[in-house]
Amino acid sequence: MGVIGEVLGNLLRKPFTRLYPFEKEDVPQRFRGNIKYFSDKCIGCRLCEKNCPANAITFHKKGCIDFDMGKCIYCGMCGDVCPTQAIVYTNDYERAETSKKKIKPIQS
Ligand code: SF4
Ligand code: SF4
C-alpha cells in the first residue's frame, strides 16, 4: 500500500488514544492502584512493614500504619503478605502530582 493509501486508511480507523481524563480506561482485574488499609482487620504482625521494598510503611501500633505513597512502587507485596487482607488495592490510578511532597500519605 502506498503512502496515500496508508493515510486514507488511517483516516477511516478509530483512534487508538483516549480523550483522558474525559474518557477513562477500565482497569484489569487485580490492578494495583491506590492502597486501602482496613485498620479494624489489622492484627499488628508487621509483615507488611518488614516486606516493603521501598520502606514506604511505618508501623505505629496495631491498626495504626502510615503508607508513604510518594515512596510506594505499587509492588503489591504488603497486600500479598498480610494474613488478614487488611491491605487491598483499589482501581484508583489517578495519583499524579507535580511534586512528591504533594502526594498524600494513607494514614489510619
Ligand atoms: S505496594 Fe509495595 S512499595 Fe507500596 S507500600 Fe506495599 S509493599 Fe511497599
Ligand atoms: S501485614 Fe496486615 S495484619 Fe500485619 S501489620 Fe500489616 S496490615 Fe496489619
Side-chain angles (χ1 to χ4, degrees), residues 37 42-44 46 58-65 108:
Y37 171 56
C42 180
I43 57 172
R46 301 185 82 158
T58 306
F59 179 92
H60 298 291
K61 60 181 182 178
K62 179 182 155 190
C64 185
I65 299 177
S108 50

Side-chain angles (χ1 to χ4, degrees), residues 37-38 41-49 59 63 65 67 78 81-87:
Y37 171 56
F38 294 94
K41 288 187 175 180
C42 180
I43 57 172
C45 67
R46 301 185 82 158
L47 281 174
C48 53
E49 182 192 43
F59 179 92
I65 299 177
F67 298 83
C78 54
V81 296
C82 178
T84 61
Q85 284 82 50
I87 300 169

Side-chain angles (χ1 to χ4, degrees), residues 26-57:
D26 289 332
V27 296
Q29 272 190 333
R30 304 184 68 211
F31 177 81
R32 290 197 300 268
N34 209 15
I35 285 173
K36 189 162 186 176
Y37 171 56
F38 294 94
S39 57
D40 55 327
K41 288 187 175 180
C42 180
I43 57 172
C45 67
R46 301 185 82 158
L47 281 174
C48 53
E49 182 192 43
K50 286 177 192 148
N51 284 283
C52 176
N55 288 327
I57 298 176

Side-chain angles (χ1 to χ4, degrees), residues 3-4 12 23 25 30 35 37 47 58 61 70 72-75 78-81 91 93 96-97 99 103 108:
V3 174
I4 302 288
L12 299 173
E23 292 176 20
E25 183 75 54
R30 304 184 68 211
I35 285 173
Y37 171 56
L47 281 174
T58 306
K61 60 181 182 178
C72 177
I73 56 171
Y74 297 86
C75 66
C78 54
D80 284 351
V81 296
N91 288 347
Y93 56 84
E97 293 287 354
S99 152
I103 298 175
S108 50

